[in-house]
Amino acid sequence: MGYFDGPPILFKYRSSTLFILGTVAVGLFTDLFLYGMLVPLLPFLLENRVNVPPSQIQSYTSAFLAAYAGASVVFSPPAGIIADKLSARQLPFLCGLIALLAATILLHLGQNLPVLIVARILQGLSAAVVWTIGLAMVLDTVGPEKLGLAIGSIFGFISIGDLAAPVLGGVVFEKAGYDGVMAMAYFLLAIDFILRLLLIEKKTARMYVEKYGLEPHEEDREPEEGEDGEYQEPQEDDPLLSSGKKPEDWKIYKEQPKWIKKFPILYCLQDKRLIVAEIVAFMQATLLSTFDATIPTQAESLFGFDSLKSGILFIPLVLPYLILGPIVGKLVDIYGPKPAAVFGFLFAIPSLILLRIPSAGGTSQIVIYSVVLVMNSITLAAVAPPSIVEASYVCEGYYKANKGFFGENGPFAQLYAINSMVFSTGLALGPIISGGLRDSIGYGNMNAVVAVMCAIVAFLSYMYLSKPKRPFWKKK
């Protein structure tokens, strides 16, 4: 017996559900934080490092944002296909971080436009990998039954990175310069790398449990399935029935085009539930990036806030989201995605419209603005879990009924690749839409337009997302 024969050091902790979910959350946080952190620094990079004329800075800034979003859209499908074919997801998860490290080094040291554009493309590649594989790893870890709670908790945490990073990047740049900002990025990357390296996936953990006769985690005990692991008739509150579909409606005919067999998630996209779930994801990302783009400028306009005070103003938007995310996720697991999505987008209508009330002034107006931001934070918490959970329900239904069609790992990484594409598009278009509307029709009217978009998504959610698994008053 070799000296190193046996399970890995700290096996129990590294393979625990909490550690895996925490690692994925930190990975998603790092991606969003490094993306947002550089937003206020791009004009400096372009003007002072590569000598772009001031009149062209806005167009080049838009091009840099487009390079990131475009790369994420392009690389997400291959990342999903590769992840679904691999037996373990840790290696590509690490490779995504290596791409982000390379991007960060190029952004730190690059002295010309092509290098900086390559850096942004590498950032987009990393985003495609971390979102696609990270979310698939979450589903592998908790299963569809607890996915809402997991997604709600993770999205509440990573919202801090998305919403506060631009302000924090500006503050650190002002106090410590560009090198200080990049030092913060390297520190975060180091923590992320250590966590991803230590992570032991549930599939890998089960191999060690079987090989060495270890006691599995309580949450890892295999649920009772059919004797052969074959397709089971859904129960009363199963998402397969809550969709309104009959069990046989999930069956896929074997004769399918080659392009469907190579990328089988495309077959699932004919399902209206999945389409609406992705629309929900797009609107969620649009809301996040709209707040990201407009809160600092509105705070400066109304209250004369500098970057530090604007950062503090994000607290009423982030803190309730962080607290309510797990609660909403748990409710989605119990009652299904429809109630949370419909409530969230309907509640967004008055919450967004009320943002026109605060005016230039002192403490009283700041308090009013903060209270309305808390209302919008409730919206963000409500709409975060439904998209991922609903999309996973759809694919779970097709996968259970057609396991041979999708392969051993199912289509879930491919699903989250599409979700990554949609979410990245929302993050990219949100600032463009909101910024253009704010300049042309004003801040209040801009929010009214976004509120109308939320009303449309609320209607689609009510019409097409799976009905509640059971009435709110009915105990399980």
Side-chain angles (χ1 to χ4, degrees), residues 3 19 45 50 52 81 112 124 187 207 259 269 286 343 349 358 400 402 465 471:
Y3 182 78
F19 186 84
L45 284 175
V50 296
V52 173
I81 294 173
N112 55 65
F187 176 74
M207 293 171 55
W259 53 277
L269 284 173
T286 301
F343 167 79
I349 298 172
K400 283 184 176 180
N402 310 274
L465 294 188

Side-chain angles (χ1 to χ4, degrees), residues 171-333:
V171 170
V172 175
F173 176 72
E174 183 180 331
K175 301 295 183 181
Y178 191 59
D179 288 340
V181 174
M182 301 313 293
M184 182 170 58
Y186 291 132
F187 176 74
L188 191 56
L189 284 167
I191 295 175
D192 194 2
F193 177 77
I194 292 171
L195 290 176
R196 294 196 203 192
L197 195 62
L198 291 176
L199 179 144
I200 299 175
E201 296 177 63
K202 292 297 185 182
K203 291 180 181 178
T204 306
R206 281 192 287 270
M207 293 171 55
Y208 284 113
V209 167
E210 294 173 2
K211 182 177 180 180
Y212 296 104
L214 304 174
E215 185 72 17
H217 294 283
E218 184 64 31
E219 68 268 17
D220 295 340
R221 298 183 186 280
E222 292 290 338
E224 293 187 5
E225 202 179 14
E227 291 184 14
D228 304 322
E230 295 295 329
Y231 175 65
Q232 299 268 295
E233 290 295 320
Q235 302 301 313
E236 179 185 356
D237 63 349
D238 194 289
L240 272 65
L241 279 186
S242 65
S243 68
K245 280 189 173 186
K246 298 177 182 178
E248 58 268 21
D249 292 337
W250 296 98
K251 291 291 186 179
I252 299 175
Y253 293 109
K254 293 183 179 180
E255 295 76 18
Q256 296 295 331
K258 290 183 178 179
W259 53 277
I260 290 287
K261 292 181 178 179
K262 288 184 178 180
F263 199 28
I265 189 64
L266 294 177
Y267 185 92
C268 302
L269 284 173
Q270 67 177 318
D271 196 302
K272 294 177 182 178
R273 291 171 60 198
L274 183 53
I275 296 297
V276 173
E278 296 307 325
I279 292 174
V280 171
F282 174 82
M283 196 64 222
Q284 176 200 357
T286 301
L287 283 171
L288 279 169
S289 57
T290 295
F291 291 130
D292 191 13
T294 59
I295 287 177
T297 54
Q298 189 68 3
E300 180 184 9
S301 174
L302 293 181
F303 314 125
F305 279 4
D306 56 20
S307 57
L308 180 58
K309 291 180 179 179
S310 295
I312 295 174
L313 196 57
F314 276 94
I315 293 176
L317 186 67
V318 171
L319 188 59
Y321 186 4
L322 184 63
I323 296 171
L324 293 174
I327 298 173
V328 174
K330 182 65 175 178
L331 292 175
V332 168
D333 286 334

